[in-house]
Amino acid sequence: MNDAPARKLIAENRRARFDYFLEESFEAGLALTGTEVKSLRSGRANIAESYAAVEGRELMLVNADIPTYGQANRFNHEPRRPRKLLMRRRQIDKLIGAVQREGRTLVPVKLYFNERGLAKLEVALAKGKKAHDKREASAERDWQRDKARLMREKG
């Protein structure tokens, strides 16, 4: 996905890159209510512990936290309700196949507004990392940081 300057980032799942090997990413729309959109416009959402699940022939975003909107009174939404992901049928079928046959996981990576002002979710097809993979990634990151510091000091 190219990062266009017009995209307004709402929430990011930074832990996803640490816990999973992200293989391929897809852009999905979300079926939202009006109060959810207003709450997102104020920049308050959390997708850190959320995931995408297969329900029948549809994909659902489960456990994403969009807080209630303050001015909505009794017409407010449920903060952690499952939300339908909107994608093309061929993409949905491809993702469902990968999840069911290959044991992959659908991980939400970013929640943002696109150029047209629509709420979009970047979902990645991922494979879980084992503990030794995480240690290896952490060691590599530390080495890159130390290398950059040494290069700055040497000049």
Side-chain angles (χ1 to χ4, degrees), residues 4-50:
R7 287 188 1 175
K8 180 180 180 269
L9 188 66
I10 303 164
E12 187 175 15
N13 186 355
R14 298 184 58 185
R15 187 127 181 106
R17 281 180 179 71
F18 182 73
D19 289 337
Y20 299 96
F21 293 113
L22 302 181
E23 295 172 351
E24 190 176 358
S25 61
F26 299 89
E27 184 179 65
L30 289 161
L32 300 172
T33 64
T35 56
E36 288 173 326
V37 174
K38 286 186 174 282
S39 184
L40 288 177
R41 291 229 182 268
S42 65
R44 297 166 43 220
N46 183 8
I47 59 169
E49 57 269 353
S50 64

Side-chain angles (χ1 to χ4, degrees), residues 31-32 36 60-61 64 66 77-79 81-85:
L32 300 172
E36 288 173 326
M60 304 295 278
L61 178 64
I66 299 177
H77 61 275
E78 184 67 34
R81 75 176 181 90
R83 295 165 179 91
K84 185 177 174 182
L85 293 181

Side-chain angles (χ1 to χ4, degrees), residues 3 8 27 30 33 36 42 45 49 52 64 71 79 87 89 91 96 111 119-120 122 136 147:
D3 287 331
K8 180 180 180 269
E27 184 179 65
L30 289 161
T33 64
E36 288 173 326
S42 65
E49 57 269 353
Q71 288 82 19
M87 300 174 81
R89 172 56 50 199
Q91 285 182 324
I96 289 174
L111 181 62
K120 298 289 182 178
E122 185 178 316
E136 198 174 285
K147 188 167 72 171

